[in-house]
Amino acid sequence: MTKSSYIPQNTDQFYINGRWQLPAQATMVAVINPATEEVVAEVAQGSSRDVDHAVAAARAAMPGWAATSVADRARILGKLHELILEHQEALAQVLSLEMGAAISFARSMQVPLAAEHVRVARDVLATYAFQKIENGTAIVREPIGVCGLITPWNWPLYQITAKVAPAIAAGCTVVLKPSELSPLSALLFAQLVHDAGLPAGVFNLVNGGGAEVGAAMAAHPDIDMISITGSNRAGALVAQAAAPTVKRVTQELGGKSPNVFLPDADFAKAVPPGVMSALRNVGQSCSAPTRMIVPRNRLAEVEALAAATANAIIVGDPRSEDTVLGPIANEAQFKRVQAMIEAGLAQGAKLICGGPGRVDGFAKGFYTRPTVFSQVDNGMRIAQEEIFGPVLCIIPYDTLEEAVAIANDTVYGLGAHVQGQDLDQARAVAARIRAGQVLLNYPTWNPMAPFGGYKRSGNGREYGVQGFEEYLEIKAIVGFE
Ligand code: NAD
């Protein structure tokens, strides 16, 4: 095992009740660097006993934390934000080791965007009106209670801060279970939470698998709410396990987001960022716009632009500053992506770039060729199933009606893009797309914009005010005045 100096020391422990502790029963599981396929660390996996322990700590801390002042909570969140920025290099390095993020991408996106969720939670908290009086009735918002937070491996730190920060800002206490495939950044984060001065029991971390630790959290009678980001399979299992205890369940699940090019779009300008948005983070983003829906009479031009963009992407060693895309994050995902590329070929999509197999020159590491299919029929598997890899589908349309119908012809409804110079027309199309977030002409990222899914992409919202409110219950005190 080659051990990087960035690997946290306490991989055999969990953070429960304000201190690092050994699990009830130790089972160590390897974390594999997807760039080398080597073991970089071994991390303890928990069980339902560790969940019980962490939930008891969170439950005990709940009344005290809920009673803290807004100013105190905001101060701690401000400190946590500062600490994440101070330790951003270590966090970026660990993210790169555990899931293969190109180091430049980890530094410029994965870590700073994660920090933004903490800043936003602090700012939302600072001005939030927890009580309003309407016609003599007080409408009071109170923390929902103990929250179980379950996160995936694709944007590991970002998904963690998107849940932990608003939950503790709202006055809730939490038990976090990060992905078993990317637990290292979570361990570093837990230490920063500790250093920020959060009282014991407010934040707890238990590592482990979904079927053991995640399922125990979902079913736990002393957890009031579960927020999960992950696959539809896991989201549905969590909802089922949570049902008998009638806890709130929010789910951020899969996507198959469309990118609709209206006839008046500036194709030369808009196709390259469309390709990059689909492929960034090696396509492992739930809202990646992986279906580029374009007028049929512009198809040849779009194909040329898309192929040129994808062919120019530097795929390689994530430690190199020049690398744009590192490997796929793990072996299982690599195999799934390869199978989907084969499915695209088998169903007759036109391959214009990339294809099956590893990137040339790599015998090891889950390096996947940026792949673009054209003349894709929206009924094909590559257009219907979430691939979660660097695979873009170009789908032609003849009429605007058809473009909108294709955009909506999916079980998902997470993100969507519209390109067009006539903003009124772009807005009109946005209004007809059933997705939780529609981006017009690639705007800059807005961490206040609520994010979440229509249809099978989930329930509930994250980020900004709406993400914060997920962690609040509503109490009406009638006769208040
Ligand atoms: P996954 O479903 O395999 O795992 C996600 C998390 O759920 C992990 O922590 C896992 O241990 C846990 N889990 C698995 N089975 C569970 C169970 N039975 N009970 C409780 N917890 C369980 O997903 P993944 O492969 O880590 O992530 C990729 C998926 O996440 C993709 O489908 C992607 O679209 C989705 N995703 C969605 C968003 C979003 O905001 N909508 C963001 C990122 C990823």
Side-chain angles (χ1 to χ4, degrees):
M1 181 164 93
T2 46
K3 189 151 182 184
S4 156
S5 58
Y6 290 106
I7 303 283
Q9 296 301 311
N10 39 15
T11 57
D12 58 337
Q13 296 169 37
F14 300 149
Y15 183 77
I16 297 176
N17 208 18
R19 62 189 180 89
W20 291 98
Q21 319 191 14
L22 291 169
Q25 198 182 341
T27 315
M28 301 299 281
V29 167
V31 179
I32 310 286
N33 178 350
T36 60
E37 300 183 41
E38 284 173 9
V39 175
V40 286
E42 298 215 314
V43 172
Q45 305 290 290
S47 64
S48 61
R49 284 160 66 194
D50 301 299
V51 173
D52 287 344
H53 188 187
V55 171
R59 177 59 60 198
M62 179 62 210
W65 182 245
T68 52
S69 69
V70 164
D72 281 350
R73 298 208 291 275
R75 184 180 44 75
I76 292 175
L77 284 163
K79 182 71 190 162
L80 178 59
H81 181 243
E82 246 175 70
L83 287 171
I84 292 174
L85 296 181
E86 205 176 292
H87 294 271
Q88 53 186 307
E89 182 59 19
L91 289 162
Q93 293 285 352
V94 156
L95 283 163
S96 185
L97 282 173
E98 70 186 355
M99 55 79 65
I103 192 65
S104 59
F105 186 75
R107 285 180 183 141
S108 63
M109 302 291 286
Q110 293 257 14
V111 179
L113 269 47
E116 272 297 275
H117 289 313
V118 181
R119 183 194 62 77
V120 164
R122 180 200 61 190
D123 291 355
V124 168
L125 167 66
T127 57
Y128 191 75
F130 284 89
Q131 181 173 310
K132 289 180 188 153
I133 297 176
E134 291 171 14
N135 301 324
T137 295
I139 314 283
V140 185
R141 267 138 176 120
E142 297 178 341
I144 190 166
V146 176
C147 299
L149 310 176
I150 301 175
T151 55
W153 49 260
N154 60 328
W155 285 78
L157 184 65
Y158 175 97
Q159 303 294 351
I160 287 172
T161 57
K163 295 187 194 304
V164 171
I168 62 179
C172 296
T173 58
V174 307
V175 177
L176 168 68
K177 189 207 86 64
S179 169
E180 58 276 34
L181 299 169
S182 57
L184 301 175
S185 53
L187 289 165
L188 281 185
F189 174 76
Q191 185 60 45
L192 299 182
V193 170
H194 177 84
D195 295 346
L198 207 65
V202 176
F203 168 88
N204 305 275
L205 167 89
V206 177
N207 275 319
E212 302 79 28
V213 174
M217 287 165 62
H220 206 289
D222 255 349
I223 287 186
D224 301 292
M225 166 177 168
I226 289 274
S227 174
I228 175 167
T229 296
S231 60
N232 284 60
R233 186 196 67 85
L237 286 171
V238 162
Q240 282 171 350
T245 48
V246 198
K247 48 175 67 76
R248 181 178 298 173
V249 177
T250 69
Q251 301 147 312
E252 298 287 346
L253 308 176
K256 197 74 198 174
S257 301
N259 188 356
V260 178
F261 278 63
L262 300 178
D264 75 335
D266 181 338
F267 285 75
K269 208 169 130 201
V271 171
V275 174
M276 294 312 291
S277 304
L279 304 188
R280 85 172 179 167
N281 203 33
V282 205
Q284 302 164 120
S285 296
C286 48
S287 60
T290 50
R291 293 185 299 139
M292 189 177 274
I293 301 169
V294 304
R296 195 179 298 277
N297 62 2
R298 307 296 292 268
L299 194 56
E301 182 186 353
V302 171
E303 286 180 359
L305 286 163
T309 308
N311 277 322
I313 296 174
I314 301 173
V315 184
D317 185 344
R319 288 168 304 179
S320 162
E321 306 274 343
D322 298 332
T323 294
V324 176
L325 302 183
I328 289 268
N330 55 71
E331 186 175 15
Q333 189 59 25
F334 177 73
K335 287 184 174 156
R336 271 197 289 271
V337 173
Q338 292 298 323
M340 287 306 293
I341 294 174
E342 296 288 359
L345 292 172
Q347 289 195 307
K350 176 183 171 190
L351 183 70
I352 62 166
C353 168
R358 277 190 169 82
V359 171
D360 286 348
F362 289 97
K364 270 191 173 273
F366 307 123
Y367 295 99
T368 306
R369 301 165 71 193
T371 297
V372 181
F373 284 109
S374 186
Q375 296 180 19
V376 174
D377 181 288
N378 199 53
M380 290 179 181
R381 285 186 60 199
I382 52 171
Q384 286 294 319
E385 297 177 28
E386 185 179 49
I387 300 177
F388 228 55
V391 183
L392 172 68
C393 297
I394 301 175
I395 305 170
Y397 72 84
D398 291 308
T399 64
L400 197 55
E401 277 308 304
E402 195 190 349
V404 172
I406 294 170
N408 285 328
D409 178 16
T410 166
V411 295
Y412 297 112
L414 189 55
H417 287 249
V418 181
Q419 315 304 328
Q421 300 191 55
D422 175 350
L423 204 49
D424 283 338
Q425 198 187 22
R427 287 178 185 141
V429 170
R432 297 178 64 191
I433 295 179
R434 292 186 46 80
Q437 198 174 84
V438 187
L439 305 175
L440 305 184
N441 298 317
Y442 310 119
T444 50
W445 183 62
N446 175 6
M448 289 298 290
F451 182 82
Y454 279 41
K455 303 194 274 181
R456 291 196 201 165
S457 286
N459 288 301
R461 292 294 177 268
E462 295 199 293
Y463 317 165
V465 176
Q466 291 79 7
F468 176 80
E469 288 179 332
E470 293 287 344
Y471 295 95
L472 297 172
E473 269 291 12
I474 300 173
K475 179 184 283 173
I477 308 177
V478 186
F480 190 81
E481 272 185 351

